[in-house]
Amino acid sequence: MNEHEEALEPEVLEPEQAAGAPAVADDVLPDTLYLMPVPNRPFFPGQVQPVGMNPQEWASTLKAVADSGTRLIGLSYVPPGENGEIDIRRFPEIGCAVRLHRPPGGADQPGQFMAQGLRRFRIVRWLNDKPPFLVQVEYPRSQGEKDSDEIKAYAMALIKAIKELLPLNPLYSEELKQYLSNFSPNQPSLLADFSAALTTASGEQLQEILDTLPLRSRMEKVLTLLRKEREVAELQGQITSQVNDKVSDQQREFFLREQLKIIQKELGISKDDRTSDADMFEERIAGLELPEVVAKRIDDELQKLSVLETGSPEYGVTRNYLDWATSVPWGVHSEDNLDLKHARGVLAEHHDGLEDVKERILEFLAVGSFKGEIAGSIMLLVGPPGVGKTSIGRSVADALGREFCRFSLGGMRDEAEIKGHRRTYVGAMPGKFVQALKEVKVSNPVIMLDEIDKIGASYQGDPASALLEVLDPEQNSEFLDHYLDLRVDLSKVLFICTANQLDTIPGPLLDRMEVTRLSGYVAEEKLAIARNHLWPRQLERHGLGEDQLKINDAGLKYVIDSYCREAGVRNLEKQLSRIMRKSIVRMLDTGEEKLRVGKKDIDDLLGKPHFMPDKPVRGLGVATGLAWTAMGGATLAIESSQIHTLNRGFKLTGRLGETMRESAEIAYSYVIAHLKDYGCDRDFFDMSMVHLHVPEGATPKDGPSAGITMATALVSLARKERIKRPLAMTGELTLTGQVLPVGGIREKVIAARRSKIMELILPHANRRDFEELPEYLREGINVHFARNYREVFEFVFHEHRKDKSLH
């Protein structure tokens, strides 16, 4: 049956006209009502509850109701507007007429009045559209047969739905008791309205119930609201139950733990947190040899810990301090292994080449063996990347039998990283050296400071200055860490620092270290390193056995000569790793279990060679120089050319630094001043625009060591005579023609061997540096030592003058 059919059914009396209720005749309810909007939800017939309002805003309406003598008012659901203004167009057609039982204005609750819902009303016509709102109304009746079986079934369904809600929320029980005390459950219209008012539905949904006059349709809609209400109540109950269970479990666990602590404490089985912490710290210091000042400070902190509450922030700060102070290995030293034979074997096993560095380390160990102890020392290993500086530090620790700790200083900008933060800061920690001592658990480890030339500085301080105290053997016995505020003895620590260059290390810091230079490797050394160290290590990393993949010496040498000409071996290891990866792919594709790699296979595995066989640049005005770089030694072909003969001029290119430009100007001036001495045309430079260029323009170059090379290139250009044999040179030239010594002789000799140039010209003052080189570096090299440029000229252009040379 639809709503249109319901509208044709007999009318049902409202509750006031039903049997057993006080009769309210139609003519008792007035045909005009003063209206008041309710903002939250509509009012239903049969409801008895307080209604809130603003007494100042609705004073005129309440006064008009009081003057009428009926104590009746109409309540309509009107949601609040944007500006708080009330528009009569927003009033719904259906509202509820109520009787005021407790008029507003009382001293206890001036903004409320008690209302009893009587009947629905429908607005017929507005009589006054300004407060007090006055409308002409009619009172529509509910439509449907209240005694029909269908209505009774709906009523029973409503009562059942309400009963299902009762266990879920005790408020529903109170509402039901109030309803039963005032009305009969046999009144379906009132039951439907009460059930709707019982829910937490929105105002719009409840207004729809109020607007529905057909009884069956109204009861269907109310049943839907009750069903949703039950689902929400059940979900709320589940959430509340879960929260209560969790809280109760936590409370139960808390009480049980507290009881357990008390029981264990009474039986002497356990201690509280504070006592446990204190006992742990005392146990730590039992095996340490604490200086008097340190022992007193720790005792003071332990006493402070005993009176602090465990939950206070100060307790955490004190406990953290004691944790660090008792973790420092005060007076704990490891025993050194001073056996030189063992040390020599460890160094030989870990490294090929670097004989001078190994000799320096053995001298250091020999002194310690002679004295019976090895005092702290500071060594600085300087060399290009990939030559094994960091690994040498670990080898020294293994040779001595000492603990090893390494950290990098590259990019460090905060001096607190070195000396620690003061305890006043949140999250304060000791410096790196105290952390290292805690990690190794002895006071005489080997500590490696990597990349000391890349240390930074900022507004937070200068870490390089903070290192002055650490790396000074006269001061580091009383190194003060800001966090501990205690003197820590670092004099027994062996410090090994590494750097790529010395230019960026502050002078005072460099003065405190013993500098040992590591040059690059020649091809023979790289071959030994690859065969003995790099290849076995890469086999292990790739999960290959020695028999599964092999490479012959010819293949290794081809990789070294054609792909890896840098000073170190790091790139060589990368290329060997690449060979293994590609070989594994080939083995999986072909199903082979073993693979052999030779020289002919390298191009397929690594691609085209990066370096072609060296062909020294020769020609008129070209001379080969030797240079030192942070990546090792290098050969540079310096070229000079006569551009035109229109006017005199001199041009320099090649990203040259200030010092190198000065060397070029000196060479140019010296050659012009001595044209006659060297058999040149006196007017050559007067009528020539000369361009001097140093190739590899992408690489910045600086230093005075190319002075004689530039002069030789200019002399070759002026004499119109080319250098006829492979020859390289290095040396600083003065305006008077003196050849001054330069640095980096080892790197430059290695660069010459790498380029297969076996005849060199060096400053006479560098004779000692050359003679100190290992025999395998000097073998086969023909070196001329020059005191002045006249000797350089004789060696270059008068090949028969070899009586002054050293073979």
Side-chain angles (χ1 to χ4, degrees):
M1 183 182 296
N2 55 35
E3 288 192 18
H4 179 71
E5 293 174 333
E6 288 177 356
L8 302 178
E9 294 181 359
E11 294 183 345
V12 179
L13 294 177
E14 290 291 339
E16 295 82 353
Q17 296 171 295
V24 181
D26 285 72
D27 58 351
V28 174
L29 295 175
D31 57 356
T32 59
L33 284 175
Y34 289 100
L35 289 189
M36 180 182 293
V38 288
N40 298 324
R41 52 192 286 150
F43 209 89
F44 283 91
Q47 274 189 287
V48 179
Q49 64 179 33
V51 177
M53 54 88 192
N54 186 347
Q56 287 81 18
E57 184 178 0
W58 300 104
S60 59
T61 301
L62 295 174
K63 184 176 183 302
V65 172
D67 293 344
S68 68
T70 61
R71 302 181 70 178
L72 296 178
I73 190 171
L75 297 182
S76 295
Y77 167 66
V78 181
E82 296 181 358
N83 301 324
E85 298 180 356
I86 299 177
D87 188 352
I88 63 172
R89 290 174 296 181
R90 302 183 61 194
F91 276 76
E93 185 181 17
I94 302 293
C96 182
V98 302
R99 176 174 285 116
L100 277 63
H101 284 281
R102 189 186 303 161
D108 54 347
Q109 291 179 328
Q112 282 188 351
F113 61 86
M114 184 61 70
Q116 177 190 4
L118 300 179
R119 286 186 62 178
R120 287 173 171 77
F121 69 81
R122 179 185 289 120
I123 299 176
V124 177
R125 185 164 59 93
W126 283 84
L127 302 178
N128 189 6
D129 58 0
K130 300 291 183 184
F133 297 122
L134 182 63
V135 293
Q136 181 180 353
V137 299
E138 63 179 6
Y139 301 95
R141 300 179 182 275
S142 297
Q143 300 167 354
E145 180 61 48
K146 73 168 186 173
D147 294 329
S148 67
D149 293 340
E150 187 179 19
I151 297 299
K152 288 180 180 180
Y154 273 107
M156 292 175 66
L158 286 175
I159 294 174
K160 181 181 178 181
I162 295 173
K163 287 181 178 180
E164 291 175 351
L165 283 173
L166 293 181
L168 302 177
N169 194 331
L171 293 178
Y172 299 139
S173 178
E174 295 298 325
E175 293 278 354
L176 185 60
K177 289 179 181 178
Q178 180 183 357
Y179 168 76
L180 294 176
S181 64
N182 294 311
F183 305 100
S184 169
N186 296 323
Q187 299 170 323
S189 178
L190 193 59
L191 178 62
D193 291 341
F194 162 73
S195 301
L198 194 65
T199 66
T200 57
S202 63
E204 289 76 9
Q205 291 175 317
L206 294 178
Q207 181 62 41
E208 184 180 354
I209 300 294
L210 192 66
D211 293 341
T212 305
L213 296 180
L215 190 54
R216 189 176 72 87
S217 296
R218 192 193 319 167
M219 298 176 87
E220 282 181 353
K221 294 179 180 179
V222 172
L223 276 173
T224 302
L225 293 182
L226 287 175
R227 191 176 300 111
K228 292 181 180 179
E229 191 72 15
R230 186 186 65 184
E231 292 174 357
V232 172
E234 287 176 348
L235 181 59
Q236 181 183 1
Q238 292 175 4
I239 296 173
T240 304
S241 176
Q242 291 175 0
V243 173
N244 291 338
D245 290 345
K246 187 174 181 180
V247 172
S248 62
D249 289 343
Q250 291 177 347
Q251 290 176 341
R252 179 173 175 273
E253 184 178 351
F254 171 76
F255 287 126
L256 288 175
R257 287 188 180 278
E258 292 299 318
Q259 291 174 359
L260 180 61
K261 287 181 181 180
I262 294 173
I263 293 171
Q264 290 178 336
K265 190 174 181 181
E266 292 294 329
L267 295 176
I269 300 175
S270 179
K271 304 166 185 176
D272 58 15
D273 292 341
R274 182 166 45 200
T275 307
S276 178
D277 288 341
D279 289 348
M280 178 183 67
F281 297 139
E282 290 177 355
E283 182 180 347
R284 281 187 189 176
I285 64 178
L288 304 177
E289 298 178 8
L290 299 179
E292 183 179 350
V293 176
V294 175
K296 185 177 184 305
R297 173 66 62 83
I298 291 178
D299 288 341
D300 292 344
E301 295 294 330
L302 283 171
Q303 185 176 359
K304 183 194 297 184
L305 191 75
S306 65
V307 299
L308 290 172
E309 290 295 331
T310 56
S312 68
E314 184 66 20
Y315 180 87
V317 173
T318 304
R319 188 193 181 285
N320 196 40
Y321 176 83
L322 283 169
D323 182 34
W324 279 105
T326 57
S327 297
V328 176
W330 306 99
V332 178
H333 300 86
S334 61
E335 186 176 351
D336 291 330
N337 185 350
L338 302 178
D339 185 359
L340 288 184
K341 185 177 180 181
H342 168 74
R344 188 177 282 110
V346 170
L347 293 175
E349 180 185 355
H350 291 183
H351 294 276
D352 286 299
L354 304 178
E355 298 302 329
D356 50 347
V357 179
K358 294 178 185 177
E359 193 65 30
R360 173 65 188 90
I361 293 172
L362 289 173
E363 291 171 3
F364 169 74
L365 298 180
V367 174
S369 177
F370 188 77
K371 291 175 57 180
E373 66 169 356
I374 293 181
S377 180
I378 296 96
M379 298 176 60
L380 174 60
L381 304 178
V382 183
V387 296
K389 300 185 297 296
T390 303
S391 59
I392 283 179
R394 190 174 296 277
S395 299
V396 172
D398 292 342
L400 283 173
R402 286 192 177 191
E403 298 292 333
F404 178 76
C405 183
R406 170 197 168 275
F407 59 88
S408 176
L409 299 174
M412 185 179 291
R413 295 180 174 272
D414 189 355
E415 66 175 7
E417 295 279 346
I418 303 296
K419 306 199 73 173
H421 305 80
R422 301 192 184 277
R423 290 174 64 187
T424 52
Y425 297 105
V426 176
M429 290 182 66
K432 291 288 187 182
F433 295 100
V434 173
Q435 295 179 36
L437 294 180
K438 177 184 177 182
E439 179 182 343
V440 299
K441 298 181 175 61
V442 289
S443 296
N444 61 336
V446 175
I447 295 182
M448 170 154 280
L449 308 179
D450 251 340
E451 313 294 351
I452 198 170
D453 58 326
K454 299 175 181 62
I455 197 167
S458 68
Y459 67 92
Q460 294 170 314
D462 183 6
S465 300
L467 280 175
L468 293 177
E469 180 183 3
V470 178
L471 300 182
D472 190 345
E474 302 299 326
Q475 299 182 40
N476 61 13
S477 60
E478 293 188 350
F479 170 70
L480 179 65
D481 184 88
H482 288 161
Y483 178 80
L484 294 180
D485 200 23
L486 295 171
R487 301 285 178 179
V488 181
D489 185 6
L490 299 179
S491 61
K492 305 299 182 185
V493 177
L494 174 57
F495 292 100
I496 300 179
C497 308
T498 70
N500 296 129
Q501 55 190 4
L502 300 179
D503 300 347
T504 56
I505 303 177
L509 184 59
L510 184 62
D511 184 58
R512 286 163 163 77
M513 298 181 283
E514 300 179 24
V515 178
T516 302
R517 293 186 176 273
L518 283 77
S519 303
Y521 300 105
V522 294
E524 292 77 9
E525 291 176 320
K526 285 186 177 181
L527 181 62
I529 292 171
R531 176 62 66 194
N532 299 331
H533 300 283
L534 304 183
W535 186 258
R537 184 163 62 198
Q538 289 300 322
L539 285 174
E540 182 181 355
R541 289 182 179 176
H542 289 80
L544 292 169
E546 294 182 2
D547 296 334
Q548 290 181 279
L549 183 63
K550 290 185 178 182
I551 184 171
N552 57 27
D553 287 348
L556 281 176
K557 195 169 183 181
Y558 183 66
V559 173
I560 293 168
D561 291 339
S562 302
Y563 298 87
C564 309
R565 288 193 181 177
E566 64 284 335
V569 294
R570 185 171 290 130
N571 184 46
L572 175 57
E573 186 170 14
K574 293 178 182 177
Q575 297 300 332
L576 295 180
S577 175
R578 188 178 175 192
I579 288 174
M580 289 195 181
R581 293 196 303 269
K582 291 184 176 293
S583 298
I584 291 174
V585 173
R586 182 180 297 179
M587 291 167 67
L588 293 176
D589 288 341
T590 61
E592 299 180 50
E593 295 183 358
K594 296 182 180 180
L595 198 62
R596 302 292 179 265
V597 178
K599 179 179 178 180
K600 63 181 185 308
D601 303 313
I602 300 299
D603 287 353
D604 294 336
L605 295 171
L606 299 182
K608 295 299 181 183
H610 300 167
F611 303 98
M612 301 305 294
D614 275 336
K615 293 182 180 179
V617 180
R618 297 182 191 178
L620 188 64
V622 179
T624 302
L626 297 174
W628 178 92
T629 68
M631 302 294 290
T635 57
L636 293 176
I638 297 178
E639 304 171 345
S640 61
S641 175
Q642 183 184 36
I643 301 176
H644 57 72
T645 58
L646 299 178
N647 60 328
R648 178 175 181 169
F650 185 57
K651 182 178 181 181
L652 284 172
T653 54
R655 287 198 72 184
L656 307 181
E658 188 65 30
T659 304
M660 205 163 185
R661 287 183 172 275
E662 289 180 357
S663 295
E665 296 287 349
I666 291 172
Y668 182 67
S669 299
Y670 175 78
V671 172
I672 291 177
H674 298 83
L675 288 173
K676 181 179 179 182
D677 296 340
Y678 299 127
C680 305
D681 182 2
R682 292 185 178 183
D683 300 329
F684 177 79
F685 288 102
D686 292 337
M687 305 298 295
S688 299
M689 178 66 183
V690 176
H691 184 173
L692 187 69
H693 175 64
V694 182
E696 299 183 36
T699 305
K701 295 167 284 292
D702 199 11
S705 63
I708 64 172
T709 314
M710 293 177 173
T712 302
L714 293 174
V715 170
S716 171
L717 182 66
R719 285 173 58 91
K720 295 182 174 56
E721 181 180 353
R722 55 183 291 177
I723 301 174
K724 300 177 181 178
R725 64 190 188 279
L727 176 68
M729 62 192 74
T730 182
E732 181 178 358
L733 179 67
T734 68
L735 280 174
T736 58
Q738 301 300 311
V739 178
L740 301 183
V742 294
I745 295 299
R746 180 186 176 103
E747 289 84 353
K748 292 174 181 178
V749 170
I750 290 175
R753 291 189 71 95
R754 192 182 300 126
S755 299
K756 297 188 174 49
I757 299 176
M758 306 304 286
E759 187 174 1
L760 307 179
I761 299 177
L762 302 179
H764 189 273
N766 288 120
R767 176 188 288 268
R768 180 181 176 183
D769 298 324
F770 179 78
E771 292 175 347
E772 289 179 349
L773 294 179
E775 178 63 29
Y776 69 88
L777 287 181
R778 294 185 285 123
E779 183 180 0
I781 293 185
N782 183 17
V783 181
H784 310 282
F785 295 99
R787 294 181 176 86
N788 51 61
Y789 188 75
R790 165 61 66 177
E791 297 181 357
V792 174
F793 174 78
E794 295 290 339
F795 294 144
V796 174
F797 295 100
H798 295 162
E799 190 174 354
H800 63 280
R801 296 287 301 275
K802 292 188 178 179
D803 53 313
K804 297 182 181 180
S805 65
L806 173 69
H807 299 277

